[in-house]
């Protein structure tokens, strides 16, 4: 197996490496040890791994503490900085080279690296890595969000047939570094950690949603608010069936119970002077848990002298009838 020699991509990554590294360093896919050697005078600890045993011997001979590992398979600790010049080229069926082959479409190796790296990165650590426009940059950036990273572009370099890009990725929620990304809304991102979800938005939006949740929680509505600070709201994780799935699969009596529960909550919100603004989209904003409905997503709710929750609920039911999800017999009177 040939050891990958430093090239344009190595030089570009190196140009941003020392300014953005700190503490302990792990160089993944170290090759000759080019990046690890630069970190030695400044880092508190430098380790390096490579799947290629010849690369491990080369880096070790240069003075780097290196060992053989398929990505993180033989790594046992967390680091402040993880650096990687990823293989980013689509596999060549005629030539196999682990230093270049990024997978069938070029990004598969990078996605695996980012997924595994999260478990070996300190809460306030950073990952520095390089990819090329020869792979699908949008897929990589979407994966960064999905995996729970915040990221920025540190450097770019245009070559004849590609552009090289250096990224810096950090835990989006350092306090909850094990959190898993759940969804991206119009103005927020939602992560899950065990039995809570963390919703990240703006400071104003987070404070507003926490205020609304605190008020409706007092009346038994919504997911339980755990805490709010800065730009995030921590609330209980609600696991349940989708609203429309229950309507389509449940018995007539059960559908009536579910609809009556939603109607009761809409009426209560009207009496509290809170307009939720989501009753037209119950398929997205309501879950059925333990035979009761939990209304989600309170960031758009507003205090109002003329709330429209019941009116919106009735219109939602009419739409469900027109779509065939409900029949007119499913309507009830209080």
């Amino acid at each position: 197996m040939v050891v990958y020699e430093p090239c344009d991509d190595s030089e570009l990554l190196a140009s941003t490496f020392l300014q953005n590294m700190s503490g302990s360093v792990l160089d993944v896919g170290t090759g000759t040890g080019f990046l690890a050697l630069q970190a030695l005078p400044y880092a508190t600890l430098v380790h390096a791994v490579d799947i290629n045993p010849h690369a491990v011997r080369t880096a070790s001979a240069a003075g780097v503490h290196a060992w053989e590992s398929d990505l993180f398979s033989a790594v046992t600790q967390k680091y402040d900085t993880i650096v990687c010049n990823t293989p980013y080229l689509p596999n060549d069926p005629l030539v196999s080279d682990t230093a270049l082959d990024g997978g069938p479409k070029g990004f598969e190796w990078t996605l695996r690296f980012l997924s595994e790296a999260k478990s070996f990165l300190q809460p306030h650590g950073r990952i520095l890595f390089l990819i090329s426009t020869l792979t699908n940059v949008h897929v990589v950036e979407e994966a960064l969000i999905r995996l729970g990273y915040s990221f920025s572009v540190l450097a770019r370099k245009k070559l004849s047939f590609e552009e090289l890009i250096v990224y810096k990725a950090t835990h989006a929620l350092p306090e909850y570094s094990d959190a898993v990304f759940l969804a991206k809304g119009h103005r927020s991102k939602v992560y899950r950690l065990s039995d809570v979800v963390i919703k990240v938005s703006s400071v104003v939006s987070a404070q507003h949603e926490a205020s609304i949740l605190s008020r409706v929680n007092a009346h038994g509505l919504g997911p339980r608010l755990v805490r709010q600070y800065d730009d995030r709201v921590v609330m209980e994780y609600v696991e349940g069936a989708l609203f429309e799935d229950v309507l389509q699969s449940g018995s007539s009596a059960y559908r009536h119970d579910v609809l009556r529960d939603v109607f009761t909550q809409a009426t209560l919100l009207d009496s509290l002077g809170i307009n939720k603004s989501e009753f037209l989209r119950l398929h997205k904003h309501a879950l059925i848990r333990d035979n009761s409905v939990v209304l989600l997503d309170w960031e758009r709710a507003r205090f109002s002298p003329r709330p429209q929750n019941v009116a919106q609920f009735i219109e939602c039911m009419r739409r469900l009838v027109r779509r065939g999800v409900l029949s007119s017999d499913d309507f009830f009177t209080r």
Side-chain angles (χ1 to χ4, degrees):
M1 298 173 72
V2 177
V3 179
Y4 185 73
E5 293 290 337
C7 198
D8 287 331
D9 50 4
S10 310
E11 296 289 349
L12 181 63
L13 184 53
S15 70
T16 65
F17 178 41
L18 293 183
Q19 306 95 292
N20 289 279
M21 59 140 284
S22 67
S24 56
V25 174
L26 175 67
D27 181 10
V28 178
T30 190
T32 63
F34 175 67
L35 292 170
L37 286 168
Q38 294 192 42
L40 278 176
Y42 309 102
T44 59
L45 172 74
V46 178
H47 288 163
V49 294
D50 202 298
I51 195 172
N52 182 350
H54 301 296
V56 171
R57 286 194 288 272
T58 301
S60 298
V64 176
H65 182 186
W67 65 90
E68 191 174 341
S69 179
D70 179 7
L71 280 177
F72 298 89
S73 63
V75 177
T76 59
Q77 70 179 76
K78 293 189 176 186
Y79 296 85
D80 299 301
T81 304
I82 298 176
V83 63
C84 182
N85 186 2
T86 67
Y88 52 73
L89 296 178
N91 293 356
D92 186 337
L94 301 178
V95 180
S96 177
D97 189 339
T98 57
L100 302 176
D101 295 345
K105 296 184 179 179
F107 54 74
E108 289 85 353
W109 195 98
T110 301
L111 299 193
R112 182 186 161 208
F113 161 73
L114 292 172
S115 177
E116 294 184 18
K118 193 172 183 185
S119 299
F120 298 91
L121 183 67
Q122 294 283 9
H124 292 276
R126 79 281 305 152
I127 298 171
L128 308 173
F129 70 100
L130 179 146
I131 61 171
S132 160
T133 49
L134 292 177
T135 189
N136 192 322
V137 173
H138 298 297
V139 169
V140 174
E141 292 187 349
E142 288 173 0
L144 282 164
I145 295 172
R146 185 178 69 253
L147 291 168
Y149 292 109
S150 293
F151 66 91
S152 59
V153 173
L154 296 181
R156 295 176 179 269
K157 183 176 182 179
K158 289 188 176 181
L159 302 177
S160 300
F161 301 104
E162 62 180 324
E163 183 178 23
L164 303 177
I165 309 172
V166 177
Y167 285 90
K168 176 182 177 181
T170 59
H171 289 297
L173 301 173
E175 317 91 311
Y176 302 99
S177 57
D178 293 327
V180 177
F181 177 78
L182 282 183
K184 184 177 184 296
H186 182 62
R187 294 181 292 270
S188 62
K189 295 175 184 175
V190 183
Y191 304 83
R192 179 187 176 187
L193 179 64
S194 186
D195 58 351
V196 300
V197 296
I198 304 102
K199 189 172 185 178
V200 181
S201 54
S202 67
V203 173
V204 172
S205 181
Q207 290 176 342
H208 171 77
E209 184 164 14
S211 174
I212 293 288
L213 272 177
S214 180
R215 178 72 182 275
V216 300
N217 280 177
H219 296 272
L221 304 182
R224 179 177 56 85
L225 174 67
V226 176
R227 65 175 295 193
Q228 180 270 324
Y229 60 100
D230 298 331
D231 59 349
R232 57 208 61 183
V233 179
V234 183
M235 64 193 88
E236 69 168 319
Y237 173 70
V238 177
E239 190 166 11
L242 295 175
F243 180 73
E244 285 196 18
D245 289 348
V246 169
L247 295 183
Q248 291 176 323
S249 62
S251 66
S252 176
Y254 186 50
R255 289 199 299 273
H256 277 239
D257 289 342
V258 168
L259 295 176
R260 186 176 294 278
D261 188 12
V262 180
F263 179 78
T264 300
Q265 293 189 47
T267 303
L268 177 56
L269 287 170
D270 279 356
S271 70
L272 294 173
I274 297 174
N275 194 53
K276 189 176 184 304
S277 304
E278 301 289 4
F279 276 92
L280 290 176
R281 293 177 287 275
L282 290 174
H283 61 290
K284 290 185 176 181
H285 303 286
L287 290 176
I288 316 301
R289 179 182 65 181
D290 299 331
N291 297 326
S292 63
V293 180
V294 181
L295 299 176
L296 309 174
D297 300 317
W298 293 83
E299 63 182 23
R300 295 183 62 204
R302 294 291 182 271
F303 293 102
S304 170
R306 299 180 63 186
Q308 301 292 314
N309 300 293
V310 171
Q312 286 191 3
F313 170 67
I314 293 173
E315 176 58 28
C316 179
M317 296 303 99
R318 288 173 176 160
R319 294 180 182 182
L320 291 174
V321 169
R322 288 197 294 268
R323 289 172 47 209
V325 176
L326 293 176
S327 70
S328 56
D329 293 337
D330 288 312
F331 279 105
F332 59 88
T333 57
R334 194 172 182 208

